[in-house]
């Protein structure tokens, strides 16, 4: 099977490559990106750049997809192996799973594909600079333009990041041997996927806030889908072991990838082609229709896999899978070529008037601020709408799984979780989100809610505890499924460091001062990706701090309740200090941004920022009061649980066959009695005196001894 399998893989790869090239060439010609007329007097990059730019982009995308696929197979799709007979891989703890031989082979293959990814990205960088400058490639390579323009072009910076990250993956994939490190490389490769598409058409679309998030989800979902299928098909053609397990895991993942690709693709098309007629009237729309048709074909093939070929694999008929998977790989490669052609085709320009404010924030200047307009639906933010939908759906799925299994889940935790999600929607999808980009005071309301209010309710919802109870253990002993990966993350050194109370507090407090009192704030406001990152930082930093403070979910270090109260009262004044510092500023923050979007109906920029400081100063009382209420209830119920636990142990100790040493209260009182007896013996010279002959024992100690075994309340008081 070895030689014939290698030949089958080579034939499939050749067919997929030819299909991708043919579709790419056809798309470039039909889209008109390689047939543009050269205007005399303007710079022309030449025919090499016109064809080399999309060609290198396609090689880069395919190499990136293969890197993701091979790392995915090594870290997730192939089950781990448990050492037998006392043999254990180096660096692995006894009883933990290790990478199989096939997984290590895919990991080493990822090193080569990542190197090809870096080389293709470097070539694409050269062609991009030549295309922007309108100079032939030879002049760009031999001149000084390449080094001077890379840092100033967003596309150049993005491609440089890809080259650096891909090189890191290529180097580390040659020496990595542990499952955790392999998963880390997969996450690093996933991050390297995003910079190029986020600086393309999405950043300049009419509704760029929707387009940026849509293209990020699109790329993040399509890479593991395509790459995973290629590796699973190659695994089947080579006749390797564990194919049924690998195919079944890929099928589950592919379903979610397919749904994500469909939703994000639909959002992308709407953001670029708001008029449905443009789907037929424009080159961009016709290519998008071709991609939609290919997507429908892949959906049908995926349905066939789940219903026909997976049962055939279970019946040990692998060729039923390989034939269809090979054809699906060819269709996917063609779709990649079509996607590259679509990326090189300019979408139709916006038809509406482009005002300076709309060019900066994506919408026209809103009318004068009122309470009613703040409560109305504002600019749709696809990022946080998708985040809330996913978090709410996954949480409900976990609760439903517990209920179907016959387990209970507190209703209060569910209510708290969805209250937290509701607060996210209230400040990201309403008028608060729209006015927050115009007025610093409204921005501070959004910041305070996401950083100090929303995380309280999310943490009390105990999502980690729910996940640990709802997720099923891995079917194969020693393997890692979602539950095992979550457990490993909770016990990792990184979590132990970042969840330390001191570290979490520094991130929570210092992050605010560093952001606003440096140039980071204006940079984040001017860039949509930066704005998303800033908002997510508010949410994540607050969640980390209140996870440590409220401690509902498992954590590396649990603070006692007095320590939690002390941490709360020490931390919260810093936000008041921050508000006072804002109120005393004599120069506005992010002056360039707020002067560019300054509304004609508002006051001065500095006065608005003083209002924002007052909001920051006064808002801290609200979360402090809520946290105190939650801590009081937690402390009370924790004491009740401890008392019930001690009562149960005492009952078991007193039952026939029980061990009296398990009764902590009786053991505690016995120790006190022994100490009292020793004290009397020491004072009496070791002799037993009459009750009236010697000194009385200390009153408090005597009271504890007298209560032993006679007065339940006295016996329980010391605990």
């Amino acid at each position: 099977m070895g030689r014939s399998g290698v030949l089958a893989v080579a034939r499939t790869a050749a067919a997929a490559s030819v299909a991708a090239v043919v579709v790419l060439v056809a798309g470039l010609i039909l889209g008109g990106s390689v047939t543009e007329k050269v205007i005399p007097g303007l710079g022309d990059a030449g025919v090499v750049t016109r064809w080399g730019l999309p060609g290198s982009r396609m090689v880069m995308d395919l190499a990136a997809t293969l890197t993701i696929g091979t790392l995915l197979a090594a870290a997730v799709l192939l089950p781990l192996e448990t050492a037998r007979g006392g043999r254990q891989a180096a660096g692995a703890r006894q009883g933990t799973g290790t990478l199989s031989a096939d997984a290590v082979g895919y990991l080493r293959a990822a090193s080569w594909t990542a190197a090809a990814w870096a080389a293709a990205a470097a070539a694409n960088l050269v062609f991009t600079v030549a295309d922007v400058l309108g100079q032939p490639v030879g002049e760009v390579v031999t001149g000084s333009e390449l080094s001077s323009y890379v840092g100033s072009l967003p596309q150049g910076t993005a491609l440089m990041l890809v080259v650096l990250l891909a090189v890191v993956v290529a180097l580390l994939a040659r020496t990595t041997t542990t499952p955790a490190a392999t998963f880390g490389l997969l996450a690093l490769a996933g991050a390297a996927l995003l910079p190029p598409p986020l600086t393309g058409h999405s950043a300049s679309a009419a509704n760029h806030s929707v387009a940026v998030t849509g293209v990020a989800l699109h790329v993040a979902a399509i890479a593991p889908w395509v790459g995973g299928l290629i590796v699973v098909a190659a695994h089947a053609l080579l006749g390797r072991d564990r194919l049924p397990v690998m195919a079944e895991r890929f099928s589950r993942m592919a379903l979610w990838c397919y749904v994500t690709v469909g939703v994000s693709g639909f959002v992308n098309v709407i953001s670029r082609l708001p008029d449905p007629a443009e789907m037929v009237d424009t080159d961009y729309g016709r290519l998008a229709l071709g991609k939609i048709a290919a997507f429908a074909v892949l959906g049908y093939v995926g349905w066939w896999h789940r219903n026909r070929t997976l049962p055939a694999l279970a019946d040990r008929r692998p060729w039923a899978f390989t034939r269809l998977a090979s054809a699906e790989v060819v269709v996917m490669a063609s779709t990649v070529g079509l996607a590259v052609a679509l990326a090189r085709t300019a979408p139709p320009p916006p038809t509406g008037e482009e005002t300076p404010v709309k060019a900066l924030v994506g919408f026209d200047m809103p009318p004068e601020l009122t309470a009613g307009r703040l409560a109305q639906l504002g600019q749709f933010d696809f990022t946080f709408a998708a985040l809330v939908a996913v978090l709410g759906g996954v949480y409900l799925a976990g609760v439903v799984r517990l209920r179907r299994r016959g387990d209970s889940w507190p209703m209060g935790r569910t209510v708290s979780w969805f209250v937290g999600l509701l607060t996210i929607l209230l400040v990201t999808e309403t008028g608060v989100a729209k006015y927050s980009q115009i007025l610093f005071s409204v921005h501070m309301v959004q910041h305070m809610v996401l950083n100090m209010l929303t995380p309280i309710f999310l943490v009390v919802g105990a999502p980690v505890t729910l996940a640990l109870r709802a997720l099923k253990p891995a079917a194969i002993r020693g393997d890692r499924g979602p539950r095992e990966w979550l457990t490993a993350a909770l016990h990792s050194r990184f979590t132990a460091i970042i969840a330390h109370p001191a570290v979490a507090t520094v991130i929570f407090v210092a992050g605010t001062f560093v952001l606003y009192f440096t140039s980071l704030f204006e940079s984040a406001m001017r860039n949509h990706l930066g704005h998303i990152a800033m908002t997510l930082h508010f949410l994540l930093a607050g969640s980390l701090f209140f996870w440590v403070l409220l401690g509902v979910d498992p954590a590396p270090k649990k603070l006692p309740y007095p320590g939690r109260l002390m941490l709360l009262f020490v931390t919260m004044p810093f936000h008041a200090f921050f508000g006072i510092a804002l109120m005393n500023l004599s120069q506005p923050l992010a002056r360039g941004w707020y002067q560019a979007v300054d509304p004609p109906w508002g006051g001065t920029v500095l006065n608005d920022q003083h209002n924002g400081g007052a909001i920051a100063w006064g808002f801290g009382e609200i979360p402090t009061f809520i946290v105190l209420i939650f801590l009081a209830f937690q402390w009370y119920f924790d004491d009740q649980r401890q008392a019930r636990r001690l009562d149960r142990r005492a009952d078991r100790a007193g039952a026939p066959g029980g061990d009296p040493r398990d009764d902590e209260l009786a053991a505690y009182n016995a120790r006190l009695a022994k100490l009292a007896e020793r004290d009397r013996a020491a004072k009496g010279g070791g002799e037993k005196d009459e009750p009236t002959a010697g000194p009385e024992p200390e009153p408090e100690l005597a009271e504890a001894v007298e209560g032993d075994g006679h007065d339940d309340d006295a016996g329980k008081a010391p605990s």
Side-chain angles (χ1 to χ4, degrees), residues 19-35 51 287 337-338 341-342 345:
V21 171
V22 170
V23 173
L24 173 65
V25 172
L28 292 174
I29 295 175
L30 293 175
S33 59
V34 294
T35 58
W51 288 98
L287 290 178
L338 184 59
L342 188 65
T345 304

Side-chain angles (χ1 to χ4, degrees), residues 280-569:
V280 181
D281 298 340
T282 63
D283 294 332
Y284 188 91
R286 287 187 286 269
L287 290 178
L289 284 176
K291 192 176 177 181
I292 292 173
F295 177 77
V297 171
L298 291 173
Y300 175 76
V301 174
W303 173 85
W304 189 275
H305 271 308
R306 292 181 65 88
N307 292 276
R308 301 295 179 88
T309 61
L310 289 182
L313 280 177
D315 295 338
R316 299 185 180 278
R317 290 183 289 147
W319 284 106
F321 174 82
T322 55
R323 286 193 296 266
L324 186 60
S326 299
E328 189 178 4
V329 167
V330 174
V331 176
M332 280 191 168
S334 304
T335 307
V336 172
L338 184 59
V340 174
L342 188 65
R344 285 294 298 161
T345 304
T351 56
E353 181 182 356
E354 186 78 0
T355 62
V357 172
K358 188 174 183 179
L360 290 173
V361 298
F363 51 84
D364 292 320
M365 177 66 69
E368 185 174 358
L369 177 65
T370 63
R373 286 166 181 159
L374 275 179
Q376 292 175 357
L377 183 66
Q379 193 77 4
F380 176 66
D381 193 319
F382 184 50
T383 304
F384 292 96
L387 178 66
V388 169
V390 171
L391 293 179
V394 171
Y395 194 95
L396 277 181
V399 174
V400 170
R401 174 175 286 187
L402 288 182
R403 295 292 173 85
R404 288 178 177 176
R405 202 169 63 194
D407 296 336
S408 61
W409 181 254
M411 180 59 68
R413 291 183 177 179
T414 304
V415 172
S416 177
W417 178 260
F418 282 95
V419 168
L421 296 183
L422 178 62
T423 60
I424 296 177
L425 292 178
L426 289 177
V427 296
T428 60
E429 307 298 328
T430 63
V432 174
K434 177 175 287 189
Y435 284 94
S436 68
Q437 300 188 58
I438 304 296
L439 297 174
F440 181 83
S441 56
V442 181
H443 163 83
M444 191 52 60
V445 172
Q446 186 184 54
H447 172 185
M448 291 291 112
V449 170
L450 292 176
N451 189 235
M452 301 180 66
L453 188 63
T454 300
I456 298 175
F457 294 100
L458 295 183
V459 167
V460 173
V464 177
T465 302
L466 176 62
L468 291 173
R469 292 183 58 186
L471 291 172
K472 298 178 181 178
I476 302 174
R477 185 177 181 83
D479 193 17
R480 279 188 179 180
R483 191 177 190 275
E484 288 73 20
W485 280 113
L486 178 58
T487 303
L490 288 174
H491 291 87
S492 66
R493 184 177 302 176
F494 173 78
T495 303
I497 293 174
I498 199 171
H500 190 279
V503 176
T505 303
V506 169
I507 294 174
F508 181 64
V509 173
T512 300
F513 286 89
V514 171
L515 173 68
Y516 286 101
F517 293 112
T518 65
S519 59
L520 287 176
F521 178 53
E522 183 163 4
S523 299
M525 295 298 292
R526 287 187 175 277
N527 185 281
H528 182 66
L529 290 178
H531 190 269
I532 292 176
M534 175 178 63
T535 310
L536 288 177
H537 166 74
F538 297 152
L539 186 61
L540 294 177
S543 299
L544 176 64
F545 175 75
F546 288 108
W547 176 38
V548 173
L549 188 65
L550 294 174
V552 178
D553 280 325
K557 185 176 180 62
K558 288 276 190 178
L559 283 175
Y561 286 100
R564 299 182 189 186
L565 289 174
M566 183 179 298
L567 181 63
L568 175 67
F569 289 121

Side-chain angles (χ1 to χ4, degrees), residues 75-244:
V76 178
L77 299 183
L78 281 170
L80 301 179
E81 291 184 348
T82 304
R84 297 179 180 178
R87 299 179 63 185
Q88 192 80 3
R93 292 177 298 177
Q94 189 67 28
T96 60
T98 58
L99 295 177
S100 64
D102 286 336
V104 173
Y106 288 128
L107 186 58
R108 301 298 179 256
S111 176
W112 293 103
T113 57
W117 184 8
N124 192 256
L125 173 60
V126 175
F127 287 123
T128 298
V129 175
D131 184 62
V132 171
L133 298 179
Q135 296 179 1
V137 176
E139 295 182 9
V140 171
V141 173
T142 57
S144 60
E145 291 84 358
L146 185 61
S147 59
S148 60
Y149 276 85
V150 164
S152 59
L153 292 174
Q155 300 94 326
T157 304
L159 289 170
M160 279 300 301
L161 286 174
V162 173
V163 172
L164 293 175
L165 294 176
V167 168
V168 172
V169 172
L171 294 175
L172 295 181
R174 300 203 62 80
T175 57
T176 297
T177 57
T178 63
T182 305
F183 195 86
L185 288 180
L186 176 61
L188 186 63
L193 289 171
L194 300 178
L198 295 181
T199 54
H201 291 157
S202 59
S204 58
N207 192 352
H208 59 273
S209 62
V210 175
V212 165
T213 305
V215 76
L217 289 176
H218 198 73
V219 172
I222 205 169
W225 181 26
V226 177
L229 176 68
I230 293 173
V231 176
V232 172
H235 195 87
L237 292 171
L238 293 172
R240 301 285 176 81
D241 295 333
R242 304 283 192 172
L243 177 61

